[in-house]
Amino acid sequence: MTFVPLLVVVLASTATAGDVPRSGYFGAGINLEPLALGPMQAFSGGRTAVGLSLQASLQVDLGSRWAFRLPLEVGVGGSGDATFSEVAVTPGLLYRWRDDAGQRWVPYLGAGLKLGAAGAGRELLGLPLVTTVQSLDLDFDDDGDSESDPNFESRLGAFPEVWAGVEWHPNRWFALNLGAAYTYVRLLGRNVHLLHERVGVRFSL
């Protein structure tokens, strides 16, 4: 006889979760993050370089918890020949633990595929420096004179990335996104691990 009341409770809780609207002031689930800024670290060959990461993104709700995220980012840093750079767009999906339309703190996890260019100095990769004049790789600093830095290696490709963070919503139209991301890049047979920590300003409809 206890099965029926239990079933009613489960169905009621499911209906309540399903009634949570999409994010935003109008519940449209369209979120624009014009600027996210923070430090970035690159690890490879037993070496570390630190730099700055800038990002702008569009996020569209697919429901009350799932969302499609499309960030565009640029990162650069390091010193000497231990440098790194990246520019890419990263479409992906994220899951948010949302249980209420007015929820202040919303944690999330997600993943995407970074499409763009990434590069690192040979010193960061733990490789010997090149002293020859010629270099055949396509580098970010190519200024059209057919010369490039032989000690900077870069490539175009698709790189896996994972996201984690929390959104702080003082109201339904504005939020701060406190997020971190990890990207894996393979360059010249060496693993490059990129960490990003950013704070973003978001406006939601």
Side-chain angles (χ1 to χ4, degrees), residues 2-115:
T2 60
F3 175 74
V4 174
L6 179 61
L7 181 61
V8 171
V9 171
V10 171
L11 292 176
S13 63
T14 304
T16 302
D19 290 340
V20 177
R22 299 183 181 190
S23 61
Y25 185 79
F26 300 104
I30 299 175
N31 307 273
L32 179 62
E33 199 168 290
L35 178 64
L37 175 68
M40 176 180 174
Q41 302 87 39
F43 305 90
S44 182
R47 295 165 174 79
T48 304
V50 179
L52 184 66
S53 178
L54 295 173
Q55 184 183 84
S57 63
L58 173 68
Q59 183 173 306
V60 180
D61 288 12
L62 303 178
S64 59
R65 295 180 176 175
W66 286 97
F68 171 76
R69 183 170 172 82
L70 185 64
L72 171 65
E73 63 186 83
V74 177
V76 64
S79 61
D81 290 310
T83 59
F84 66 90
S85 301
E86 67 167 358
V87 56
V89 59
T90 312
L93 295 175
L94 58 83
Y95 181 85
R96 300 158 298 166
W97 281 266
R98 292 184 69 237
D99 298 308
D100 186 271
Q103 187 172 329
R104 289 292 183 94
W105 296 94
V106 181
Y108 66 85
L109 286 174
L113 193 62
K114 179 173 288 186
L115 309 173

Side-chain angles (χ1 to χ4, degrees), residues 75 84-87 116-120 137-143 152-156:
F84 66 90
S85 301
E86 67 167 358
V87 56
D137 69 312
L138 178 63
D139 293 339
F140 298 153
D141 60 351
D142 190 358
D143 56 8
F152 188 84
E153 305 293 340
S154 60
R155 57 167 287 207
L156 299 173

